[in-house]
Structures are given as C-alpha cells and as structure tokens.
Amino acid sequence: MDNIRGILIGRMQPVHNGHLQIIDRILEEVDEIIIGIGSAQISHELKDPFTAGERIVMMSQALAEMHIDPKRYYIIPMEDINFNAIWPSHVKMMTPPFSVVYSGNPLVKQLFAEEGFEVRQPPLYDRLHLSGTEVRRRILKDENWQELVPKATADVISEINGIERLKNLSEKEISDI
C-alpha cells in the first residue's frame, strides 16, 4: 500500500486549537501530513506578529502535547512568492512529495486542482472563535485568549513577550494612520 501524504498550508498566526483539530482530522485520512507555515517571510506586523520559527515551535510543541508521532508530520516554512501560476511548483519544490491538498482557500484549491492534485476542504471547527484573528483580538483587548490555543502556543507567546509585541504593533499601526 502506498503512503498517502497530504499538505495543509496556513499562516498559523498563532497556532490555535482549530488548527490542531483540523490536523488531527486530516491524520485520520492520510499517513503523513506536511504542515506548511505560510507567509514565512512576514513577521512583526499586526496581522502577522510571529516569525516562522516561533510558529514552528508552537506547532511542534502543540503536536507533541497531543502525542502525535513526529514520524507522521513535517513542518516546513513556506514563503510567499506572489506569482500564483507557479506557486504550486514552488510548494512542490519546498516539500516532500504529496498527493492530497487540504485547503479552504478558493485560489489555493483552484491552483492545485489545475496541477492535477486531489483537493479536499478541511473541516472548520468553531470558526467564529477558533481563528488567529480572534486570538490576536483577544490578546489586544486583554480577554481570555488562552482558551483558544494549546498550552504550547501560550508558552511560546509568553516566552517571546508576544503580548507586548502585539500591543506595540497595534500602537504602531494607529500612529501610521
């Protein structure tokens, strides 16, 4: 039997419980998953406050907390190239081979379908609350954001003074208006 490997790419700004629920579900369908940390070149912006390295640590520690066998996943930073027609080729060049693409993004689904890949829509869990936008909003409003993320994410955000970073970025965005 062939090993089925899927790929999921997301910004993961930050890694939250919804990401982990999706990954857990995908792992019911494939033998291995490639987790692409999207927009890897962007950080220290209000919408993208965390570096690719910080997000990789969040993800790898969160998957360890879930007791997911590290042989079942690869975490790979994926830079944007802003050239849609060749983006699937760029992704293929940066990753192990895969046969199934998981995405809810219409453009990503179209680009990979045109390249002959099987594309599946991952399930979304409580999208109203389980989103990076909501986590960042709660951090800025001093609301309970920790309930939306794994302990690993909260630990990394604490370790890097991520709350202060986000609040400073928020002030910068206001002063840039």
Side-chain angles (χ1 to χ4, degrees):
M1 184 172 128
D2 289 337
N3 189 36
I4 300 172
R5 187 176 298 124
I7 186 168
L8 172 72
I9 301 172
R11 288 185 14 259
M12 322 279 178
Q13 286 281 12
V15 173
H16 57 70
N17 293 332
H19 295 130
L20 299 179
Q21 291 172 346
I22 290 169
I23 289 166
D24 196 43
R25 177 71 179 275
I26 290 171
L27 283 169
E28 293 175 6
E29 300 178 10
V30 299
D31 300 300
E32 297 175 341
I33 183 171
I34 301 163
I35 302 163
I37 303 295
S39 301
Q41 78 284 4
I42 303 173
S43 70
H44 293 79
E45 295 181 0
L46 193 56
K47 186 177 169 189
D48 296 287
F50 306 109
T51 68
E54 291 162 349
R55 293 177 279 154
I56 289 169
V57 171
M58 289 175 194
M59 181 62 73
S60 60
Q61 291 181 357
L63 293 172
E65 285 175 2
M66 292 176 64
H67 306 289
I68 294 178
D69 183 351
K71 293 177 185 159
R72 295 201 63 202
Y73 61 84
Y74 306 86
I75 304 172
I76 299 176
M78 302 295 307
E79 292 185 8
D80 297 332
I81 61 168
N82 298 315
F83 200 158
N84 292 341
I86 64 169
W87 187 66
S89 294
H90 174 72
V91 171
K92 287 182 352 187
M93 181 183 73
M94 301 298 295
T95 64
F98 56 90
S99 56
V100 183
V101 176
Y102 289 87
S103 182
N105 181 303
L107 176 61
V108 171
K109 293 192 300 192
Q110 179 68 38
L111 292 172
F112 280 98
E114 287 177 3
E115 293 292 318
F117 284 92
E118 178 182 349
V119 178
R120 298 179 188 169
Q121 169 85 35
L124 296 178
Y125 297 92
D126 191 11
R127 188 70 179 145
L128 180 64
H129 296 105
L130 294 178
S131 74
T133 301
E134 177 64 11
V135 174
R136 295 188 308 273
R137 185 196 71 74
R138 287 188 184 192
I139 289 172
L140 289 171
K141 299 286 186 185
D142 294 320
E143 296 175 5
N144 183 359
W145 58 273
Q146 294 92 336
E147 69 183 356
L148 304 179
V149 302
K151 181 180 179 308
T153 294
D155 289 348
V156 171
I157 289 173
S158 174
E159 176 186 340
I160 63 169
N161 293 324
I163 295 171
E164 182 180 346
R165 179 189 300 171
L166 202 54
K167 289 185 177 189
N168 287 338
L169 291 169
S170 164
E171 290 175 17
K172 178 189 178 304
E173 296 250 338
I174 292 169
S175 68
D176 286 348
I177 295 176

